[in-house]
Amino acid sequence: MNFERFIAKRIYANTDGKRQISRPAIRIALIGIIIGMAVMIVSIAVVMGFKSEVSSKVVGFGSHLQVISVTLDQDRQLMPVLTTDSLEQVIRHNPQVTHVQRYTTKMGMLKTSDDFRGIQFKGVGEEYDLSFFKQYLKEGKMPVFSSKESTNQLLISQRIASDLKIHTGDKVYAYFVNENGMRARRFTVCGIYETHLSEYDRNTVLTDIYTIRKLNNWDPEMSSGFEIAIREFERLDEVTDELGNNINKVYDRNGCMYGVFNIRQLAPNIFSWLGVLDMNVIMILVLMICVASFTVMSGLLIIMLERINMIGILKSLGATNYSVRKIFVNFSVMLVGRGMLWGNIIGLLICFVQSQFHLFRLNPSVYYLDAVPIRYDWLLFASVNIITLVISFVVVFGSSYLMSISRPARTMRFE
């Protein structure tokens, strides 16, 4: 062990009761680093968890991308897409595409003996991936949807069920308007889901795609569009452009032009709101790094002033400015390293407890979630640790430079 590190360890471990100035400063600096590091870890985990949970719910309702019509009919409604096998093969040709499913929508009204409500009916078939709704199923069972026959089954949200006082097994009437007038259908409520995503929960029910096509007077190959799932959400814009080059502005035999849109374009308000969270976490990280750097710098300067006689003695014995600076750099590395270690441990412990027991609750009507979410992004955690370490080293190295301008004769007489 070189003498710089030896002296630094002695300074760090010194518990001499006669010196009452540096020990509180060291403790304050250590606590500042621990708190700053823990806050940064928790902030990243919460923001990443929040973005992941909310975006996954939006994707669950509309998938990553959609191929829809951009042409209006004479009633100012979007024309149906010819969801043929050839168009599906064009979509599946992209290596990022993992699943393709057809869907059809129609506006209607659910009516009970006491109340009624306008609802968007979404028709799906056997190919539709219902795993998202199974995850949030609260009551009843998942209906079996078909593209070949009508089962008259409904999957509704808890919000709609509460407003209309509907329970699983109940029979409800739905009314639809088309060019032939009013049409009625009687459905059985098989399941009730709850995602807390109020913008979708209060407006969406699921039923057979066969039924909705019949109500729209559409042929079996007509749908409102394709929903497309991809492997990597980070490549969403790239896949949108790739599919758009093959599908956008293509006309079918009915004169309908198609377009490819991703979920960010279809739900811009939610994703813009989520984007604001990135700026919030950046501000938190900057503030916490500044606090940690300031506490390290102030603690180091107090230690230097308290040990100024020692510095003068070392210089008079032949120690160079570099050696003296190295002593305090080693001391700071011990301080910062210990603070970062405990900060990471405490931060990850808080995240673990929250992810397992959901101690901190949220109002789902405001935040779309009933508990603070946690997501572990180890790459971001490592990046924050590295950045904090580098900034702390720069601050420490700059502060230790003050030792190179001191004079041995003066520092030895300093009181």
Side-chain angles (χ1 to χ4, degrees):
M1 180 186 298
N2 56 40
F3 90 94
E4 293 96 345
R5 184 168 179 79
F6 174 77
I7 295 176
K9 290 185 68 174
R10 291 296 300 271
I11 296 174
Y12 183 78
N14 181 32
T15 56
D16 186 2
K18 297 178 180 179
R19 296 184 178 274
Q20 300 294 329
I21 299 177
S22 60
R23 299 313 299 176
I26 293 175
R27 293 192 187 97
I28 292 172
L30 183 62
I31 293 172
I33 297 170
I34 293 173
I35 293 175
M37 204 70 235
V39 169
M40 287 189 285
I41 293 295
V42 173
S43 298
I44 292 174
V46 170
V47 170
M48 296 305 297
F50 199 88
K51 293 179 66 175
S52 176
E53 288 290 325
V54 174
S55 61
S56 66
K57 288 184 178 184
V58 178
V59 169
F61 277 100
S63 204
H64 294 106
L65 299 98
Q66 292 184 21
V67 177
I68 60 176
S69 167
V70 295
T71 304
L72 299 178
D73 59 17
Q74 59 184 3
D75 296 323
R76 310 299 294 174
Q77 301 293 323
L78 289 177
M79 294 180 64
V81 174
L82 294 179
T83 49
T84 58
D85 292 339
S86 59
L87 178 57
E88 183 177 349
Q89 289 303 314
V90 171
I91 298 171
R92 290 186 180 275
H93 184 70
N94 191 294
Q96 276 289 314
V97 174
T98 59
H99 187 68
V100 181
Q101 55 197 21
R102 297 165 177 83
Y103 75 96
T104 300
T105 60
K106 185 172 182 62
M107 294 303 299
M109 181 179 66
L110 275 180
K111 186 179 185 304
T112 63
S113 57
D114 300 320
D115 205 352
F116 64 91
R117 185 164 187 170
I119 299 291
Q120 182 187 63
F121 289 77
K122 184 174 183 177
V124 300
E126 304 91 342
E127 65 185 0
Y128 201 87
D129 183 7
L130 293 171
S131 58
F132 169 75
F133 293 96
K134 288 180 182 178
Q135 179 183 355
Y136 294 102
L137 189 67
K138 294 296 182 182
E139 186 180 337
K141 62 180 182 179
M142 292 298 299
V144 179
F145 298 121
S146 174
S147 60
K148 297 180 175 60
E149 61 180 356
S150 178
T151 60
N152 293 323
Q153 295 181 344
L154 278 184
L155 178 67
I156 69 174
S157 70
Q158 182 65 55
R159 175 74 174 269
I160 296 173
S162 299
D163 291 346
L164 297 181
K165 298 178 177 60
I166 299 174
H167 304 281
T168 54
D170 289 353
K171 308 289 185 180
V172 293
Y173 281 96
Y175 296 89
F176 306 89
V177 177
N178 57 22
E179 62 273 11
N180 297 323
M182 180 77 70
R183 301 181 67 177
R185 285 287 187 277
R186 191 187 187 198
F187 292 95
T188 300
V189 178
C190 290
I192 298 175
Y193 69 90
E194 184 178 28
T195 68
H196 298 301
L197 201 63
S198 58
E199 294 184 21
Y200 293 87
D201 281 1
R202 65 183 176 218
N203 293 319
T204 304
V205 299
L206 269 63
T207 189
D208 298 298
I209 193 171
Y210 177 88
T211 301
I212 303 302
R213 281 172 175 162
K214 286 295 184 182
L215 291 168
N216 284 329
N217 294 323
W218 288 355
D219 295 334
E221 64 179 5
M222 292 181 176
S223 303
S224 296
F226 275 118
E227 290 183 349
I228 306 165
I230 63 174
R231 301 181 192 280
E232 302 172 66
F233 187 81
E234 294 75 14
R235 300 183 63 181
L236 187 64
D237 294 329
E238 177 185 339
V239 178
T240 303
D241 294 337
E242 291 175 357
L243 290 177
N245 292 333
N246 298 322
I247 297 175
N248 283 356
K249 299 182 180 180
V250 173
Y251 289 87
D252 62 19
R253 63 175 180 264
N254 295 328
C256 176
M257 185 171 70
Y258 300 161
V260 180
F261 301 91
N262 61 47
I263 195 65
R264 289 197 189 107
Q265 296 167 333
L266 296 171
N269 294 337
I270 292 179
F271 282 93
S272 296
W273 174 55
L274 292 177
V276 175
L277 298 179
D278 291 332
M279 182 57 65
N280 292 342
V281 76
I282 289 174
M283 294 300 298
I284 291 173
L285 295 179
V286 170
L287 289 174
M288 290 299 100
I289 290 176
C290 289
V291 169
S293 300
F294 178 78
T295 55
V296 170
M297 181 177 64
S298 59
L300 182 60
L301 290 176
I302 291 173
I303 293 295
M304 288 177 182
L305 289 173
E306 188 177 70
R307 298 285 175 169
I308 197 165
N309 288 335
M310 182 196 74
I311 295 170
I313 294 172
L314 290 173
K315 284 191 174 185
S316 67
L317 293 174
T320 63
N321 287 330
Y322 174 77
S323 296
V324 174
R325 293 169 65 184
K326 192 174 178 181
I327 291 172
F328 290 98
V329 169
N330 281 318
F331 168 81
S332 301
V333 168
M334 297 175 193
L335 180 66
V336 173
R338 185 180 179 186
M340 290 180 62
L341 175 63
W342 280 105
N344 278 274
I345 292 173
I346 293 173
L348 291 174
L349 181 61
I350 293 173
C351 293
F352 175 77
V353 171
Q354 175 60 23
S355 64
Q356 295 298 315
F357 303 104
H358 306 295
L359 300 181
F360 300 98
R361 312 297 295 185
L362 295 174
N363 183 352
S365 63
V366 177
Y367 296 101
Y368 305 136
L369 301 170
D370 57 0
V372 174
I374 297 294
R375 182 185 178 189
Y376 300 97
D377 193 320
W378 302 109
L379 181 60
L380 273 178
F381 292 163
S383 300
V384 168
N385 276 272
I386 292 172
I387 292 172
T388 303
L389 190 62
V390 170
I391 294 177
S392 298
F393 179 78
V394 171
V395 171
V396 167
F397 193 79
S399 301
S400 67
Y401 185 75
L402 295 174
M403 294 301 98
S404 64
I405 62 176
S406 61
R407 303 296 183 202
R410 292 181 180 178
T411 55
M412 292 175 64
R413 296 194 302 266
F414 182 81
E415 294 293 338

